[in-house]
Amino acid sequence: MTRVLSGTRPTGKLHLGNLLGAIENYKKLQGAESFFMIADLHALTTEYEKQTHIADDVTEVVLDYLASGLDSARCVIFIQSEVPEHAELALLFSMITPIGWLERNPTYKDQLQELKGKDLHTHGFLGYPVLQAADIALYKAEKVPVGEDQLPHLELAREIIRRFKHIYGKDVFPEPEAILTKTPRIPGLDGRKMSKSYDNCIYLSDPHDVVDKKVKSMVTDPARKRREDRGNPDVCPVFYHHRLFNSENSETVARECRQAARGCVDCKAEMAAKMNEFLDPIRRSREAWSKKKTEVRKILDQGREKARQVSRQTLQETMQAMGLKK
Ligand code: TRP
Ligand code: SF4
C-alpha cells in the first residue's frame, strides 16, 4: 500500500484553487495509508506575530477537508503541532541541511519579496522546507499530492532525503513524488492564479449570493470592450471556469463568445449558476460538520494517535541511523 502524506497551511478558509489544485487528489489517494494534516506550524512561520488566530483557522480547514469529501474512515486527518515528532525530525534534518540549499530555494526568495510587510528573516521561515521534508519523511510517504507551487519544496525534500541516505548509508525514507491535478492553477477573479495573497478567491464556504457577486466582478477577455465585439474565450478566466463547471456547454459558450452571440453578463450568470451547483453539496456538508464539534474533535484525536504511532517508529529509526541511539 502506497504511503501518502500532504498538508495545507491554515491561513484561512480553503478556496476553489486549493480544492482543484490539490484536495481533489487527496480524495483520490485516500486509503489505509494516507495522512492529511493541517500544517499549523508552517502557518506560524509567516503568522508568528498573530498566533491567536491560527487555531481558529485550523478548525476552518478541518471543516473544509471534511466537506470536500475526506473520509476519516479511509485516511488519517490530524494537526501537525499535535504530533511532536514533526518538530523533532525537523531538528534532526536541520543538522544535515546546507544553508545554501535553503537560501537558493526560489519559493523562499519569492515570498521574501511578496510578503514585504512581514519580517521573515527568521530561522523558522528559512527552515520551512526542512520542516516540510520532515512531515513527509515521518510517514515514509511516496506520494505527495500538492499544488504546483510546492514543487520546489518537494525537490528540496528529495534532496534532504538523498543526503541522509548518503551520509548514514541507511535507506530509512523513500524519495517522495509530487502528484499534481489536471488543473494545478486555476484563475481567480482578476485572472491571476487564484491565491489568498491576491485576494481573488472563491471560497468553498462562500454563500450563493457571494459567488454570484464575485463572478459578476470577474475580468473577461480584456479586448472585448462592447457587447458587439467578438470575444476570445481562450484568454477569458470566466471561460476557464465554464470548462470546469459547465463542460457540457463549453463548446457552445466558446462559439457564441467568438461570434458575439452572447454577452459577458449572461455568460457570467450561467457560469455562476453552475459553480454554485458544484459548491452546493460542499456547503451543505460543511454546514452539517460545523454543528458536530465533538465528532470533529474525535476525528482529530484519533488522527493524532494514528499519526503518532507511525511517526514515533520512524523517529526511532532516524535516531539510530544518526547515532543518537543504539
Ligand atoms: N507547504 C505546503 C503549502 O503551503 C503545506 C505543507 C506543509 C505540505 N507540509 C507539507 C504539503 C508536507 C505537502 C507535504 O501548501
Ligand atoms: Fe468571457 Fe463569456 Fe465574455 Fe466570452 S462571453 S469574454 S467567455 S465572459
Side-chain angles (χ1 to χ4, degrees), residues 5-9 26 37 39 42 80 128 131-132 135-136 144-146 149-150 153-154:
L5 174 122
S6 195
T8 310
R9 269 157 50 92
Y26 293 18
M37 59 170 204
H42 276 107
Q80 184 187 31
Y128 187 109
L131 179 58
Q132 185 157 342
D135 297 338
I136 297 167
V144 184
V146 281
D149 60 316
Q150 294 298 308
H153 287 148
L154 258 285

Side-chain angles (χ1 to χ4, degrees), residues 221 224-233 252-264 266-267:
D221 169 5
R224 190 177 188 202
K225 298 246 156 42
R226 282 159 300 163
R227 170 72 179 75
E228 313 82 78
D229 295 340
R230 291 159 180 270
N232 177 5
T252 313
V253 174
R255 182 170 17 90
E256 291 179 355
C257 171
R258 288 206 173 87
Q259 296 168 342
R262 70 161 48 216
C264 293
D266 294 339
C267 188

Side-chain angles (χ1 to χ4, degrees), residues 19-304:
L19 179 65
L20 302 175
I23 315 280
E24 283 292 344
N25 272 343
Y26 293 18
K27 282 197 311 195
K28 286 194 192 141
L29 291 166
Q30 286 184 99
E33 302 280 313
S34 50
F35 295 80
F36 300 113
M37 59 170 204
I38 294 106
D40 56 348
L41 293 173
H42 276 107
L44 203 54
T45 63
T46 56
E47 312 296 310
Y48 61 89
E49 284 173 303
K50 49 167 196 174
Q51 318 90 350
T52 46
H53 301 301
I54 294 179
D56 292 334
D57 284 338
V58 167
T59 312
E60 299 292 350
V61 175
V62 178
L63 292 177
D64 282 326
Y65 271 5
L66 294 168
S68 309
L70 287 194
D71 173 0
S72 63
R74 292 194 294 143
C75 68
V76 181
I77 302 174
F78 69 98
I79 300 171
Q80 184 187 31
S81 67
E82 293 186 356
V83 179
E85 285 78 6
H86 287 255
E88 295 180 47
L89 187 60
L91 181 68
L92 296 180
F93 276 179
S94 78
M95 305 299 171
I96 65 165
T97 308
I99 293 174
W101 289 7
L102 301 173
E103 285 171 339
R104 257 184 276 119
N105 170 16
T107 317
Y108 176 68
K109 291 196 249 174
D110 288 353
Q111 294 266 87
L112 280 186
Q113 276 303 316
E114 241 173 63
L115 306 175
K116 274 227 168 78
K118 292 176 184 165
D119 182 2
L120 294 179
H121 292 95
T122 58
H123 184 192
F125 188 64
L126 181 66
Y128 187 109
V130 180
L131 179 58
Q132 185 157 342
D135 297 338
I136 297 167
L138 264 185
Y139 303 91
K140 305 192 181 187
E142 292 154 84
K143 296 199 167 164
V144 184
V146 281
E148 204 181 35
D149 60 316
Q150 294 298 308
L151 291 179
H153 287 148
L154 258 285
E155 192 46 45
L156 263 168
R158 271 198 297 275
E159 281 169 15
I160 293 171
I161 284 170
R162 278 201 287 269
R163 187 167 162 87
F164 183 95
K165 191 165 153 189
H166 173 76
I167 296 175
Y168 304 108
K170 296 240 165 60
D171 211 356
V172 182
F173 318 106
E175 277 188 36
E177 177 198 355
I179 307 290
L180 301 181
T181 66
K182 281 195 286 276
T183 48
R185 51 169 56 224
I186 71 164
L189 306 178
D190 56 0
R192 290 187 291 176
K193 178 189 160 178
M194 191 179 286
S195 159
K196 189 153 184 283
S197 47
Y198 295 149
D199 193 18
N200 64 357
C201 299
I202 292 173
Y203 293 94
L204 302 184
S205 46
D206 277 347
H208 258 250
D209 56 325
V210 173
V211 172
D212 288 340
K213 214 164 82 205
K214 284 186 175 175
V215 171
K216 255 190 206 143
S217 78
M218 272 178 90
V219 300
T220 59
D221 169 5
R224 190 177 188 202
K225 298 246 156 42
R226 282 159 300 163
R227 170 72 179 75
E228 313 82 78
D229 295 340
R230 291 159 180 270
N232 177 5
D234 298 334
V235 300
C236 175
V238 177
F239 182 67
Y240 190 99
H241 291 278
H242 269 291
R243 281 208 316 248
L244 293 176
F245 304 109
N246 189 21
S247 57
E248 64 283 9
N249 288 331
S250 66
E251 278 178 26
T252 313
V253 174
R255 182 170 17 90
E256 291 179 355
C257 171
R258 288 206 173 87
Q259 296 168 342
R262 70 161 48 216
C264 293
V265 175
D266 294 339
C267 188
K268 285 173 168 180
E270 181 181 335
M271 194 279 273
K274 290 290 179 175
M275 189 181 264
N276 268 323
E277 246 173 61
F278 173 85
L279 288 171
D280 269 337
I282 300 177
R283 275 189 290 243
R284 270 200 301 274
S285 171
R286 199 180 196 283
E287 181 63 27
W289 280 111
S290 72
K291 294 187 184 125
K292 295 191 270 192
K293 293 220 162 57
T294 327
E295 211 171 311
V296 172
R297 189 56 254 179
K298 213 164 107 198
I299 289 174
L300 293 171
D301 288 343
Q302 283 168 350
R304 180 192 59 226

